[in-house]
């Protein structure tokens, strides 16, 4: 009985977490990256991008340039805070002159997501500490 109650609570929490992430990104978030960057293993040029939730999976998002020339599906891990985020932003980790997309969060939301570092990012991280910086999301 106790084990089944724990499983039910876990399922409810997992559903709530993924539902909130879907609601947050339902219409997508847009940002301008004034530098080229990696989103997982895909190198994307500087420009305007939109991130939307993939309809097939709660843990996958689509990042696409607003001109439609560049796109990638990304595996993400939902994150949750106790207090809603104050600002909307996209966080990057910078190693020398190489940038990696790291996290996304939206003001007023409890949910966000992060990308796990790739093998190449882990190599950069072993050689240099990451410098984190953010880019503000465009107004919705």
């Amino acid at each position: 009985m106790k084990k089944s109650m724990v499983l039910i609570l876990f399922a409810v929490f997992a559903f709530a977490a993924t539902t909130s992430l879907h609601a947050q990104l339902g219409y997508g978030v847009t940002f301008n990256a004034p530098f080229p960057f990696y989103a997982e293993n895909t190198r994307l040029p500087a420009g305007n991008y939109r991130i939307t939730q993939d309809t097939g999976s709660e843990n996958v998002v689509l990042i696409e340039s607003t001109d439609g020339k560049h796109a990638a599906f990304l595996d993400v891990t939902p994150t949750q805070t106790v207090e809603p985020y104050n600002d909307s932003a996209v966080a990057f980790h910078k190693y020398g002159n190489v940038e990696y997309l790291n996290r996304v969060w939206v003001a007023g939301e409890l949910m966000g997501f992060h990308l796990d570092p790739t093998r190449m990012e882990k190599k950069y991280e072993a050689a240099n500490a990451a410098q984190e910086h953010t880019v503000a999301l465009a107004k919705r």
Side-chain angles (χ1 to χ4, degrees):
M1 176 70 176
K2 187 176 180 181
K3 189 175 184 178
S4 63
M5 185 58 111
V6 169
L7 288 174
I8 290 170
L9 288 173
F10 178 76
V12 168
F13 177 75
F15 175 76
T18 56
T19 301
S20 296
L21 179 63
H22 185 37
Q24 170 191 347
L25 294 178
Y27 298 106
V29 294
T30 304
F31 67 97
N32 176 272
F35 45 79
F37 64 97
Y38 283 90
E40 290 185 335
N41 291 313
T42 302
R43 188 173 190 280
L44 298 168
N48 293 311
Y49 289 88
R50 179 176 215 52
I51 299 175
T52 53
Q53 186 75 41
D54 179 42
T55 56
S57 172
E58 295 293 340
N59 293 334
V60 175
V61 297
L62 171 66
I63 184 169
E64 182 175 25
S65 60
T66 55
D67 64 9
K69 293 181 180 180
H70 307 279
F73 284 100
L74 309 173
D75 294 318
V76 298
T77 302
T79 59
Q80 186 172 2
T81 64
V82 176
E83 295 291 323
Y85 292 105
N86 291 326
D87 300 307
S88 299
V90 176
F92 292 87
H93 281 177
K94 183 175 183 176
Y95 306 93
N97 61 354
V98 180
E99 303 266 358
Y100 279 88
L101 178 62
N102 181 263
R103 288 189 329 273
V104 176
W105 62 91
V106 177
E109 299 285 343
L110 294 173
M111 298 298 297
F113 68 82
H114 74 87
L115 287 83
D116 291 329
T118 63
R119 230 181 295 171
M120 185 57 76
E121 185 176 359
K122 288 177 183 178
K123 286 182 182 181
Y124 281 121
E125 193 172 34
N128 310 308
Q131 295 176 338
E132 184 171 288
H133 63 96
T134 60
V135 172
L137 294 179
K139 298 288 184 203
R140 291 202 229 187

